[in-house]
Amino acid sequence: MTERINYMKESPEFFKKLTELSMQEKESSIEESIRHLVHIRASQMNGCGFCLDMHVKEAKIHGERELRLYHTTIWRESTLFSPRERAALEWTEILTKMPEHGVSDDIYDRVRSQFSEKELSDLTFSVMAINAWNRINVAFKTVPGSADKAFGLTKAGLS
């Protein structure tokens, strides 16, 4: 795969702002393990190889079990996720593939039962951020693994 455009170079001010949004996630009320699952699931759904590669490696570096990484595509059938994680994954899916008529009250209530209003707001910003990254990296065919050294992802041991 050949990268189409180096958007970081072409639009550095936008890149900086999106990076700032992603860095702010670390200060959010949502635990790191759930943020990793959200980033991985959205990237799978959007077909973003660059982001999926990056977030699997980050999750592994931060101690996520490999089997749970493999199970993110089958989270509904898997017994490896807590109710809170399931709610986060469901919220990620519904916001990533927004239905024509929006988010149903049933889904909202189910997810809201696991998250405070602040947490649900923070989770929504996490979903928004990863979807933005997915879209730009898919559009410009950013090569998976191409930023491993720069982001310290080689320590994941998943070359």
Side-chain angles (χ1 to χ4, degrees):
M1 179 164 66
T2 303
E3 183 176 89
R4 291 177 172 158
I5 293 174
N6 181 339
Y7 62 85
M8 296 171 233
K9 182 180 124 203
E10 297 301 326
S11 302
E13 52 292 323
F14 285 120
F15 173 69
K16 181 181 180 208
K17 293 297 183 186
L18 190 52
T19 299
E20 288 172 7
L21 174 62
S22 293
M23 296 307 290
Q24 187 63 40
E25 282 186 83
K26 293 179 173 135
E27 306 301 319
S28 81
S29 60
I30 302 301
E31 53 269 44
E32 180 179 67
S33 60
I34 287 183
R35 288 193 320 266
H36 288 312
L37 294 175
V38 164
H39 294 164
I40 290 165
R41 186 63 190 124
S43 298
Q44 290 169 333
M45 293 176 70
N46 289 321
C48 185
F50 178 81
C51 292
L52 180 60
D53 179 82
M54 173 192 296
H55 293 296
V56 163
K57 289 171 181 172
E58 284 180 340
K60 182 92 165 97
I61 288 168
H62 293 128
E64 186 57 79
R65 296 184 346 235
E66 280 191 54
L67 188 57
R68 282 170 42 94
L69 296 174
Y70 303 144
H71 277 220
T72 55
T73 57
I74 59 160
W75 65 267
R76 283 182 176 82
E77 294 82 24
S78 177
T79 59
L80 301 179
F81 301 101
S82 71
R84 184 172 167 88
E85 291 168 331
R86 291 174 179 284
L89 289 164
E90 184 169 20
W91 195 245
T92 300
E93 288 187 357
I94 200 74
L95 294 182
T96 297
K97 301 291 184 191
M98 186 69 77
E100 183 179 338
H101 300 291
V103 178
S104 72
D105 289 340
D106 181 50
I107 291 173
Y108 174 81
D109 291 342
R110 193 164 47 248
V111 173
R112 178 65 177 85
S113 74
Q114 295 296 319
F115 294 95
S116 70
E117 288 182 0
K118 166 75 168 134
E119 290 171 330
L120 188 53
S121 181
D122 286 356
L123 178 62
T124 301
F125 275 97
S126 289
V127 174
M128 289 167 41
I130 190 57
N131 275 285
W133 285 116
N134 288 167
R135 279 151 179 72
I136 198 161
N137 285 299
V138 167
F140 298 132
K141 293 188 172 185
T142 310
V143 178
S146 61
D148 281 5
K149 224 175 225 181
F151 295 148
L153 299 175
T154 53
K155 41 186 168 165
L158 295 175
S159 302

